[in-house]
Amino acid sequence: QKEVEQNSGPLSVPEGAIASLNCTYSDRGSQSFFWYRQYSGKSPELIMFIYSNGDKEDGRFTAQLNKASQYVSLLIRDSQPSDSATYLCAADTGTASKLTFGTGTRLQVTL
Amino acid sequence: GAGVSQSPRYKVTKRGQDVALRCDPISGHVSLYWYRQALGQGPEFLTYFNYEAQQDKSGLPNDRFSAERPEGSISTLTIQRTEQRDSAMYRCASTLGATGELFFGEGSRLTVL
């Protein structure tokens, strides 16, 4: 069973702080990794993807990948209340867009 | 259309009835995916199409579930003889290419009584 594991949270951070979301995966064949954000009652939307080891930055978001450790993370700098949502980590399965999702981590940004 | 459209948004049915869930992908998107999402869980892959061809149906739970996309655009997911365990949010997604960027519809929430 190919799995993607996330802590379900909730992860609570104060406004302006850095939120760190983590994910591990079991399939060493996975090449691409994705972070989706899902607001309560809404559909998931892609915010970041990463293919290569190291860091990838996009605005306030940084995705980090360590294939040796099978570990993916998402950092959100200067967290805002509007960042409060569930963040889903996903890995490809060898077929692009056929993704295995984790259960998601619920992030709460407090005022 | 501007986004992925799914219908019905909510469906309540009695155990044993058949249901059909419809998905209209973003215009021009080649690939269409069906996922199922239980409360508090991430989406779970069911099946996907490139154009009208069903490429992978390995995620369909059993033979009561089927899907089609006859003209390479609109897709229908059919569940026959529904059971209570089929209750979930069924999400359709489309993508232009093999990028992993799935555009999800708002989902069809199925409740089987």
Side-chain angles (χ1 to χ4, degrees):
Chain A
Q1 180 82 10
K2 300 175 182 177
E3 294 183 342
V4 174
E5 301 284 345
Q6 295 182 257
N7 187 316
S8 62
L11 172 66
S12 184
V13 300
E15 184 178 7
I18 296 175
S20 178
L21 303 160
N22 306 314
C23 168
T24 59
Y25 61 95
S26 63
D27 182 10
R28 285 196 173 274
S30 294
Q31 296 295 315
S32 309
F33 304 88
F34 306 85
W35 285 98
Y36 281 78
R37 177 177 62 199
Q38 186 171 25
Y39 291 112
S40 181
K42 299 296 185 182
S43 57
E45 56 178 340
L46 181 69
I47 53 173
M48 289 282 297
F49 63 87
I50 187 165
Y51 302 141
S52 304
N53 273 328
D55 295 0
K56 179 181 179 182
E57 186 175 320
D58 184 1
R60 295 187 297 113
F61 299 94
T62 299
Q64 299 174 318
L65 173 61
N66 183 326
K67 290 187 178 181
S69 300
Q70 296 177 248
Y71 180 89
V72 191
S73 65
L74 180 69
L75 301 178
I76 306 175
R77 289 181 298 282
D78 187 24
S79 295
Q80 301 297 309
S82 59
D83 295 326
S84 297
T86 295
Y87 289 81
L88 297 161
C89 175
D92 76 0
T93 59
T95 302
S97 300
K98 179 186 174 185
L99 304 179
T100 298
F101 284 85
T103 57
T105 298
R106 188 159 63 94
L107 173 66
Q108 294 177 335
V109 180
T110 58
L111 296 172
Chain B
V4 178
S5 178
Q6 292 188 246
S7 61
R9 291 290 308 280
Y10 303 92
K11 177 69 176 180
V12 180
T13 191
K14 292 183 178 179
R15 182 165 49 96
Q17 297 295 305
D18 297 350
V19 298
L21 307 177
R22 183 179 182 272
C23 173
D24 191 354
I26 294 173
S27 179
H29 277 197
V30 168
S31 301
L32 183 149
Y33 293 75
W34 284 99
Y35 282 80
R36 179 170 67 176
Q37 188 172 19
L39 199 61
Q41 301 293 313
E44 175 191 15
F45 171 81
L46 296 177
T47 186
Y48 90 97
F49 296 82
N50 282 341
Y51 299 102
E52 73 281 0
Q54 190 171 22
Q55 298 292 327
D56 187 327
K57 57 181 181 179
S58 62
L60 296 177
N62 51 60
D63 60 8
R64 295 186 297 107
F65 287 73
S66 63
E68 62 175 9
R69 193 187 185 197
E71 298 179 359
S73 179
I74 292 170
S75 177
T76 302
L77 177 69
T78 301
I79 308 172
Q80 296 179 310
R81 305 181 302 281
T82 52
E83 300 178 5
Q84 286 186 329
R85 60 177 171 160
D86 300 334
S87 296
M89 177 72 81
Y90 288 82
R91 297 196 183 275
C92 176
S94 69
T95 182
L96 186 59
T99 63
E101 182 172 12
L102 296 170
F103 293 86
F104 283 91
E106 290 301 314
S108 292
R109 181 169 294 285
L110 174 65
T111 301
V112 182
L113 302 177

